[in-house]
Amino acid sequence: MFWDKNTECMEREEINEMQIIKLQKTVKYAFDKIPYYHKKYTECEVFPEDIQSLQDIEKLPFTTKDDLRESYPFNMFAVDLDEIIEIHSSSGTTGKPVVSGYTRKDIHNWSELLARGLTDWGITSKDVVQNTHGYGLFTGGFGLHYGAQKIGATVVPISTGQTRRQIQLLNDFKSTCLIVTPSYGLYIAEVAKEEGFNPQDMGLRVIGFGSEPWTEEMRQRLQDSFNAPAYNIYGLTEMMGPGVAVECHKQNGLHIAEDFFYPEIIDSETGKQLPENTTGELVLTNIEREGMPIIRFRTKDVTSLNYDSCECGRTFCRMDRITGRTDDMLKVKGVAFFPSQIEKALLKVTEIEPHYQVIISRPNNLDEIELQVESTPQLFSDDVTTLIKIRDKISDYIKNEVGIKVKVTLVEPKSIKRSTAKAIRVIDKRNLH
């Protein structure tokens, strides 16, 4: 199913022609309207007329989160405040928050992006979409809310938390689509069983998930828990929010809305562009944003781009799932890896629950890494020999995946704190500053 088939199935040549026109317009618009870009480009001696092809985008300097923080609150807006009808922002836990402003046209476009993705999943006006993503200044809840409404679906804007009420409403409202983070979806299934419900019998047809790193093993657990397909959504506050890229029903990568965003993959060390199917850092440029166009934003998200045709019929390029962030990479005992690699190995073991934490410490100036994993109630009641076998099995799987041996501790069921939003997977107790 398509929401806007003519756009979603354009030929590659047509896509690129559209992108260069929009890129040229955006660069001039930002240069003329936003003091930051005018100053930055003038200092770098690059000007709007220098952008004659898509390759010329490499002439432009990157925009970083620090640049956006320094422009707090409204200095990155390209329009007067009276044209901004909605403002969102990041939490600001690591400094000043990043503010994102939307005109009426931007909100319309945002809803269109999510309407495309939801339509591909089979969502129609007959569906009830229960949205557990956070509302408020966080962008997570709103894009999906607008997209579902655009289609005509009934939206239940329950937001995060209230897990037992979530379960009650899933049953009472006969919700057919659940929007969650993967870890919270598994927690809802766990609590539902405690309440006497079988999550597989709740009638969900579709699950949409995002907002945290995930593995195919985690997706499979989520699908098995509710007996429904689960599709990934990608977005970030700086660009728009969720909807920058949405996975189609083939579950083989997320289609980037290339009529709104121009994607690049770069080497995070050199800043140079990398070819397709090469893993690197994702860089995005808004080419259809009125209130706050952002050019060459370094997302720090690690992925790759694929321009091959997709069986779903959509022609926009696909990005692989995010395997981590350049600033989330861990280095322990000289070995660099992403937390998602541990999860990938861990979830191959069926005798444990999908709840874990990685604890890194540095006693006596030597790195130590401990993996705390919840056992199932049945496993926890087994004899010590069985527990040791499972513990060693986990340790071997992780060593094969990551390359280092970790201390594995099997803990009691439900002893690891649950999160209603993004799960806290890593606790790094080392003082690395």
Side-chain angles (χ1 to χ4, degrees), residues 53-121:
S53 68
L54 289 174
Q55 288 68 41
D56 287 338
I57 196 170
E58 287 194 272
K59 297 177 181 178
L60 301 171
F62 296 112
T63 305
T64 67
K65 186 165 283 192
D66 285 341
D67 294 327
L68 302 185
R69 286 175 177 145
E70 288 171 13
S71 300
Y72 178 87
F74 304 141
N75 289 338
M76 291 298 283
F77 289 1
V79 299
D80 293 335
L81 196 59
D82 61 1
E83 294 183 57
I84 298 290
I85 66 166
E86 190 164 310
I87 289 176
H88 290 279
S89 116
S90 64
S91 61
T93 52
T94 56
K96 285 185 178 179
V98 171
V99 175
S100 193
Y102 304 74
T103 63
R104 193 171 300 280
K105 179 183 176 184
D106 292 333
I107 295 296
H108 166 77
N109 289 341
W110 197 10
S111 66
E112 284 285 318
L113 293 180
L114 269 304
R116 292 178 187 175
L118 293 171
T119 297
D120 176 72
W121 301 350

Side-chain angles (χ1 to χ4, degrees), residues 332-379:
V332 179
K333 300 178 181 178
V335 178
F337 62 93
F338 290 109
S340 59
Q341 291 176 269
I342 287 183
E343 180 177 294
K344 180 180 178 182
L346 186 63
L347 293 185
K348 291 177 181 176
V349 182
T350 57
E351 297 92 342
I352 58 169
E353 298 288 357
H355 304 290
Y356 66 95
Q357 275 190 332
V358 180
I359 301 171
I360 307 170
S361 57
R362 183 172 280 176
N364 304 316
N365 295 315
L366 293 174
D367 287 345
E368 287 190 3
I369 179 168
E370 178 188 8
L371 175 65
Q372 295 186 351
V373 187
E374 278 189 16
S375 64
T376 61
Q378 179 182 357
L379 177 61

